[in-house]
Amino acid sequence: MEKIPYKIYLEEQEMPTQWYNVRADMKKKPAPLLNPETKKPVTLEELSHIFCAALAKQELDDQTPYIDIPEEIRNFYRMYRPSPLVRAYCLEEKLQTPAHIYYKFEGNNTSGSHKLNSAIAQAYYAKKQGLKGVTTETGAGQWGTALSMACSYFGLDCQVYMVKVSYEQKPFRREVMRTYGAKVTPSPSMLTEVGRRINAEFPGTTGSLGCAISEAVEAATTQEGYRYVLGSVLSQVLLHQSVIGLETQTALKKYGIKADTIIGCAGGGSNLGGLISPFAGEMLRGEADYEIIAVEPASCPSLTRGKYAYDFCDTGKVCPLAKMYTLGSGFIPSANHAGGLRYHGMSSVVSELYDQGLMTARSVEQTEVFKAATTFARVEGILPAPESSHAIKVAIDEALKCKETGEAKNIVFGLTGTGYFDMYAYQKFNDGQMSDYVPTDEELAKSLASLPTV
Amino acid sequence: MEKIPYKIYLEEQEMPTQWYNVRADMKKKPAPLLNPETKKPVTLEELSHIFCAALAKQELDDQTPYIDIPEEIRNFYRMYRPSPLVRAYCLEEKLQTPAHIYYKFEGNNTSGSHKLNSAIAQAYYAKKQGLKGVTTETGAGQWGTALSMACSYFGLDCQVYMVKVSYEQKPFRREVMRTYGAKVTPSPSMLTEVGRRINAEFPGTTGSLGCAISEAVEAATTQEGYRYVLGSVLSQVLLHQSVIGLETQTALKKYGIKADTIIGCAGGGSNLGGLISPFAGEMLRGEADYEIIAVEPASCPSLTRGKYAYDFCDTGKVCPLAKMYTLGSGFIPSANHAGGLRYHGMSSVVSELYDQGLMTARSVEQTEVFKAATTFARVEGILPAPESSHAIKVAIDEALKCKETGEAKNIVFGLTGTGYFDMYAYQKFNDGQMSDYVPTDEELAKSLASLPTV
């Protein structure tokens, strides 16, 4: 048999020409978004006030399995895709495991992560609709950077509300965004109604994604020619991110590899959902079976300790309600936590697949995550993002189980990005000053008490 | 004709299995290194006190055209190589040039640059010789990071003397090195004789590569089981870096592309020398002709304003003398300058090729360089290192000339790395606070006055 190369690169002509919409293959669909005032399913017209029209349509479409990727977006994809599927020979050697470990590496672009896959799509549709610009939030800064790059490419104005704790810990992320022409504001800010309200209510807050979302939505709906875009959680984002899973599937097939276990980190669900979509599709159609594992931080454990219920997507409660695994929209994760993955909820699609038993979930603590990250960096030569390292941690755990059982499983995980802008967190870890934080049951009960009644 | 893809990736089996030693094809060889005390050519035995034996041998070998790349190094190369040769379709479109622009992108690894190509080779030979560790200097931090990665891979101790101005501007570079287990010291330090002397002579100095080299050499020669390694300038480094040019050559041939102009940034010459070696070889053997352009910063213009003479490689004058284009070993570039390329001299091989008329050289000012970098980042989606951006600047200039003349030249340049750790410099540029600095004739005359007599 042909030796599997260290990096499997597809040819350009093997890249996907359509995104895959896993909702089409789900018999029980994710619950619809609700209008926060009427509590009725949002209409295309209502959604089009927030999102640009084509994206609102994608958001509501749970029937069409394949959607063409416009040529302009495919051209942009060619600048940094296909991303490699890497055989982690050196990690396997280090662990002395019989398992075969593969990772789909999305970090080889300047945004440093998979976020660019959806950013360019969202910027494209905004441009096509003739908008002036878009507003968004960013947590760790990867989405904001990705969107800045995409907007700069299409000549759109880009306004980014960046979670304050990241803004302060990552001044250089801000500079990358500025280099691409974006305006970056720490959130909660005093520029929006909702920002002023949250600042008054929680003085000294270091912010959260939920809060930055509210500000960005307000900024979009109060400026002429602007719409809001979001880097995760939404079904449209998972649709765009399916390019990750589709490429992974093609690469595995090319070498006759059958994945046993598929692992992804889960914050809002964009990477996990994108990676697993085509595989979950095979499971839903009864064509194959996989063990899918979602990995989330113990400090923000929406799948493992949250409730599956309708909730606000944002702290300011201006967005539609989504049914999802949630910790409550008032949940603000400890500033102690190093990476992204600081969102209180989880993509409706991922939530529903999880509820249907298509995947399991695990939560891991950050000190262990950084240990895994360092091990990985030293043998695989890639310094991973803290978010991605959650998946590394569990991939290593699974590979070590194989060492005990002697099984030569094929373990595939998503390496969403690089940690070049996370050195503040690495420094804490290197200095032995990193600690773990797990919310108490009381804290979770408190934030879950505020779930809306629908 | 087959459309040229955005990124040309070679297959693993197309990767070079031998390095190319351009000195073997030079009729007039680069002048030998001299012992700084006897002023006679250094012997293998003398050199083996500083470098490990296999590397000392490579340093002195100007006869063997091809040298096998050991299997262990080729395995490591497979982790991040082959690097893509990218067709800059978007840049061409932006410039509206008939020229075809290609760049060999060496930034897709955690060291962020081509430096890893030689780091892993030097660490390998050190390990094979049974050494405990190595010492080195680093300027912008790319070499230090690369060496940290390489040493971590082979389990060697790694001591890095980092030019003080970079140490202060780039704390996160230091953290990457620490994550890979290296010890990092700002230079000039108080840990070495030479560091203490330079600190006394130039209080408040922000350091230079030449000075950090002296410290690292002293540290290597005063500790049992240590040797010194260097990331540029040396002929052994150019040998290892020939992998860049060899891959480029193979990729061009694969698509039947004949390069017209080849452009590289030049600090110590490692990237430029590696990129052009196989092409210069063709020229030396009379098989082809290319226009080769070296690009250096106007603030440190060794080729364009220096003298071709024997000089010290380091400020402390402990290294062998090399014949090279130099500004004098006492030359310390303005701290104002953003990137690496802060070395007073130039690789002997590059110097000799330049002296023989095989290439031309240009110097460019940093504000223009950052303008080119920003243009490039916005259309090609890669945030380039300041060093690499020197080559971008001239590639753009050449493409714009083609626009005037209507020529569809094939322009190939080396994009040595990414700028993720250079955001302090980008911030200055974004804030309009970047200025240019060109040394006066008087300043250069002063530093050139200290050239040794041989």
Side-chain angles (χ1 to χ4, degrees):
Chain A
M1 196 183 123
E2 194 184 352
K3 185 177 184 282
I4 293 160
Y6 278 63
K7 293 191 277 355
I8 305 176
Y9 276 109
L10 302 178
E11 303 289 326
E12 266 176 29
Q13 58 271 25
E14 292 173 306
M15 287 170 67
T17 58
Q18 299 183 306
W19 291 304
Y20 170 63
N21 182 8
V22 69
R23 289 171 291 171
D25 280 315
M26 294 169 75
K27 276 189 202 109
K28 184 170 173 242
K29 309 285 181 192
L33 294 173
L34 300 185
N35 179 314
E37 285 171 22
T38 64
K39 309 277 166 77
K40 288 193 180 139
V42 285
T43 62
L44 182 62
E45 204 255 315
E46 286 168 348
L47 216 49
S48 301
H49 293 301
I50 305 178
F51 303 129
C52 63
L55 293 166
K57 193 166 158 250
Q58 289 179 359
E59 190 62 32
L60 298 181
D61 183 351
D62 57 10
Q63 299 297 326
T64 315
Y66 289 96
I67 292 174
D68 286 343
I69 307 175
E71 184 59 28
E72 291 88 339
I73 297 173
R74 289 170 58 202
N75 280 341
F76 189 87
Y77 279 171
R78 288 188 189 103
M79 271 172 37
Y80 70 100
R81 307 199 67 81
S83 70
L85 181 70
V86 186
R87 171 74 184 270
Y89 282 115
C90 298
L91 181 60
E92 292 170 17
E93 170 75 21
K94 167 86 181 172
L95 301 176
Q96 291 287 304
T97 175
H100 294 191
I101 307 175
Y102 297 86
Y103 54 92
K104 180 69 170 167
F105 181 45
E106 293 287 319
N108 270 351
N109 70 74
T110 287
S111 81
S113 81
H114 67 294
K115 297 281 183 178
L116 199 50
N117 302 329
S118 183
I120 193 64
Q122 297 193 48
Y124 166 77
Y125 290 116
K127 183 70 182 177
K128 219 180 149 202
Q129 190 172 321
L131 297 178
K132 282 186 208 157
V134 292
T135 70
T136 199
E137 83 300 325
T138 196
Q142 292 171 332
W143 167 247
T145 310
L147 190 69
S148 306
M149 291 175 68
C151 285
S152 145
Y153 186 77
F154 284 125
L156 281 169
D157 186 42
C158 181
Q159 301 175 359
V160 181
Y161 289 84
M162 185 170 187
V163 178
K164 197 176 270 175
V165 62
S166 296
Y167 185 90
E168 285 163 2
Q169 285 180 5
K170 302 183 172 187
F172 293 158
R173 268 281 181 209
R174 182 193 65 215
E175 286 310 317
V176 181
M177 292 186 248
R178 283 183 72 205
T179 300
Y180 283 94
K183 295 181 195 71
V184 190
T185 308
S187 166
S189 77
M190 299 305 277
L191 294 184
T192 64
E193 284 287 345
V194 63
R196 289 189 287 270
R197 203 175 72 217
I198 292 168
N199 269 318
E201 207 171 329
F202 306 97
T205 175
T206 51
S208 71
L209 269 182
C211 158
I213 292 174
S214 300
E215 289 204 88
V217 171
E218 183 182 322
T221 49
T222 53
Q223 291 175 95
E224 185 69 26
Y226 281 76
R227 288 294 185 285
Y228 168 66
V229 297
L230 176 61
S232 189
V233 183
L234 297 172
S235 301
Q236 60 186 272
V237 175
L238 267 71
L239 174 72
H240 308 147
Q241 295 295 358
S242 69
V243 70
I244 305 172
L246 291 165
E247 281 186 10
T248 304
Q249 202 179 35
T250 306
L252 290 171
K253 273 188 194 152
K254 198 168 171 175
Y255 285 88
I257 304 155
K258 162 70 177 67
D260 294 299
T261 306
I262 302 170
I263 301 166
C265 63
S270 73
N271 152 68
L272 178 75
L275 173 66
I276 69 167
S277 272
F279 299 98
E282 289 180 50
M283 291 170 80
L284 290 163
R285 296 189 303 269
E287 297 166 3
D289 203 22
Y290 302 100
E291 181 188 23
I292 298 177
I293 307 173
V295 190
E296 58 184 13
S299 61
C300 195
S302 53
L303 286 173
T304 50
R305 295 177 68 198
K307 205 168 155 181
Y308 191 32
Y310 267 104
D311 195 6
F312 295 99
C313 292
D314 61 322
T315 315
K317 307 183 180 178
V318 297
C319 289
L321 301 175
K323 190 176 174 194
M324 57 183 178
Y325 278 86
T326 179
L327 301 167
S329 65
F331 183 79
I332 295 192
S334 164
N336 170 53
H337 185 68
L341 313 181
R342 292 168 59 82
Y343 186 62
H344 68 274
M346 178 60 64
S347 141
S348 292
V349 176
V350 169
S351 292
E352 181 56 33
L353 291 171
Y354 178 60
D355 195 57
Q356 291 181 22
L358 266 85
M359 68 175 89
T360 58
R362 284 185 211 169
S363 75
V364 290
E365 297 188 5
Q366 68 177 350
T367 308
E368 286 303 308
V369 165
F370 275 81
K371 264 186 211 162
T374 304
T375 299
F376 182 85
R378 291 189 178 190
V379 292
E380 287 292 319
I382 294 172
L383 187 88
E387 297 83 356
S388 327
S389 304
H390 286 71
I392 296 174
K393 160 70 181 144
V394 170
I396 290 177
D397 287 349
E398 291 300 301
L400 291 175
K401 276 188 207 160
C402 288
K403 190 174 171 179
E404 282 174 29
T405 63
E407 283 174 291
K409 277 191 183 173
N410 288 318
I411 298 171
V412 177
F413 73 91
L415 189 71
T416 57
T418 49
Y420 305 140
F421 292 96
D422 300 290
M423 296 319 297
Y424 180 85
Y426 272 97
Q427 183 173 349
K428 271 191 154 178
F429 177 74
N430 291 338
D431 289 341
Q433 286 171 358
M434 179 166 278
S435 59
D436 292 318
Y437 169 77
V438 181
T440 62
D441 289 340
E442 289 68 33
E443 283 174 279
L444 290 187
K446 196 178 155 201
S447 67
L448 280 167
S450 62
L451 290 183
T453 45
V454 294
Chain B
M1 196 184 122
E2 194 182 356
K3 184 175 187 281
I4 293 159
Y6 279 64
K7 296 192 272 3
I8 304 176
Y9 276 109
L10 302 179
E11 304 288 328
E12 267 176 27
Q13 58 271 25
E14 292 172 308
M15 288 170 65
T17 56
Q18 297 183 308
W19 293 303
Y20 170 64
N21 183 6
V22 69
R23 289 170 291 172
D25 279 315
M26 293 169 76
K27 275 188 202 111
K28 185 171 172 239
K29 308 285 181 191
L33 294 172
L34 301 184
N35 180 313
E37 285 171 23
T38 65
K39 308 279 167 76
K40 289 196 179 136
V42 284
T43 63
L44 182 61
E45 203 254 317
E46 286 168 345
L47 215 49
S48 301
H49 293 300
I50 305 178
F51 304 127
C52 63
L55 292 166
K57 192 165 159 252
Q58 289 180 359
E59 190 62 33
L60 298 180
D61 181 352
D62 58 11
Q63 299 297 325
T64 316
Y66 290 96
I67 293 174
D68 286 343
I69 307 175
E71 183 61 26
E72 291 87 339
I73 297 174
R74 289 171 57 203
N75 280 341
F76 189 87
Y77 278 171
R78 288 188 189 104
M79 271 174 36
Y80 71 101
R81 307 199 68 81
S83 70
L85 181 69
V86 186
R87 172 74 184 270
Y89 282 114
C90 298
L91 181 60
E92 291 170 17
E93 169 75 20
K94 167 85 181 171
L95 302 175
Q96 291 286 306
T97 175
H100 293 191
I101 309 175
Y102 298 87
Y103 55 91
K104 180 70 170 167
F105 180 43
E106 293 286 318
N108 270 350
N109 71 74
T110 287
S111 81
S113 82
H114 67 292
K115 296 282 182 177
L116 198 50
N117 301 329
S118 184
I120 193 63
Q122 297 193 47
Y124 166 78
Y125 291 116
K127 183 71 182 180
K128 218 180 147 201
Q129 190 173 322
L131 297 180
K132 283 187 208 157
V134 292
T135 70
T136 198
E137 83 300 324
T138 196
Q142 292 171 331
W143 167 247
T145 310
L147 190 69
S148 305
M149 290 175 69
C151 286
S152 147
Y153 187 78
F154 284 124
L156 281 169
D157 186 43
C158 181
Q159 301 175 358
V160 181
Y161 289 83
M162 185 170 188
V163 177
K164 197 176 270 175
V165 62
S166 295
Y167 185 89
E168 284 163 4
Q169 285 179 7
K170 302 183 173 188
F172 293 158
R173 268 282 180 210
R174 181 193 66 216
E175 285 310 316
V176 181
M177 292 186 247
R178 283 183 72 206
T179 300
Y180 284 94
K183 295 182 196 72
V184 190
T185 308
S187 165
S189 76
M190 299 304 277
L191 296 183
T192 64
E193 284 287 345
V194 62
R196 289 189 286 272
R197 201 175 73 219
I198 292 168
N199 269 318
E201 206 169 329
F202 307 97
T205 174
T206 52
S208 71
L209 269 181
C211 158
I213 292 173
S214 301
E215 289 204 87
V217 171
E218 183 183 321
T221 49
T222 53
Q223 291 175 96
E224 185 71 27
Y226 281 75
R227 287 296 185 283
Y228 168 67
V229 297
L230 176 60
S232 189
V233 183
L234 298 172
S235 301
Q236 62 187 268
V237 175
L238 268 71
L239 174 72
H240 308 147
Q241 294 295 357
S242 69
V243 71
I244 305 172
L246 291 165
E247 282 186 9
T248 304
Q249 202 178 36
T250 307
L252 290 171
K253 272 187 194 152
K254 197 168 173 176
Y255 285 88
I257 304 156
K258 162 72 176 66
D260 295 300
T261 306
I262 301 170
I263 301 165
C265 64
S270 73
N271 153 68
L272 178 76
L275 173 66
I276 69 167
S277 272
F279 299 97
E282 290 180 50
M283 291 170 80
L284 290 162
R285 296 188 304 267
E287 297 165 1
D289 204 20
Y290 302 99
E291 182 188 21
I292 297 177
I293 307 172
V295 190
E296 57 184 15
S299 62
C300 195
S302 53
L303 287 173
T304 50
R305 297 176 66 198
K307 204 168 158 182
Y308 192 31
Y310 268 104
D311 195 6
F312 295 99
C313 293
D314 60 324
T315 315
K317 307 182 180 182
V318 297
C319 291
L321 300 176
K323 190 177 175 194
M324 57 184 177
Y325 278 86
T326 180
L327 301 167
S329 64
F331 182 79
I332 295 192
S334 162
N336 170 52
H337 184 69
L341 313 182
R342 293 168 58 84
Y343 187 63
H344 68 275
M346 178 60 64
S347 140
S348 293
V349 177
V350 168
S351 292
E352 181 57 32
L353 290 171
Y354 179 60
D355 195 58
Q356 291 181 21
L358 266 86
M359 69 176 90
T360 58
R362 285 185 212 169
S363 75
V364 290
E365 297 187 4
Q366 68 176 352
T367 306
E368 287 302 308
V369 166
F370 274 82
K371 266 187 211 163
T374 303
T375 299
F376 182 84
R378 291 191 179 188
V379 293
E380 287 292 320
I382 295 170
L383 188 89
E387 298 82 356
S388 326
S389 304
H390 287 71
I392 295 175
K393 162 69 181 143
V394 169
I396 290 177
D397 288 349
E398 291 300 300
L400 290 175
K401 275 188 207 161
C402 288
K403 191 174 172 179
E404 281 175 29
T405 62
E407 282 175 290
K409 276 191 183 175
N410 288 317
I411 299 172
V412 177
F413 72 91
L415 187 71
T416 57
T418 50
Y420 306 141
F421 292 96
D422 300 290
M423 295 319 298
Y424 180 84
Y426 272 96
Q427 183 173 349
K428 270 192 155 177
F429 177 74
N430 291 338
D431 289 340
Q433 287 172 357
M434 180 166 276
S435 58
D436 292 319
Y437 169 78
V438 181
T440 62
D441 289 341
E442 290 68 33
E443 284 174 279
L444 290 187
K446 197 177 155 201
S447 68
L448 280 167
S450 62
L451 289 182
T453 45
V454 294

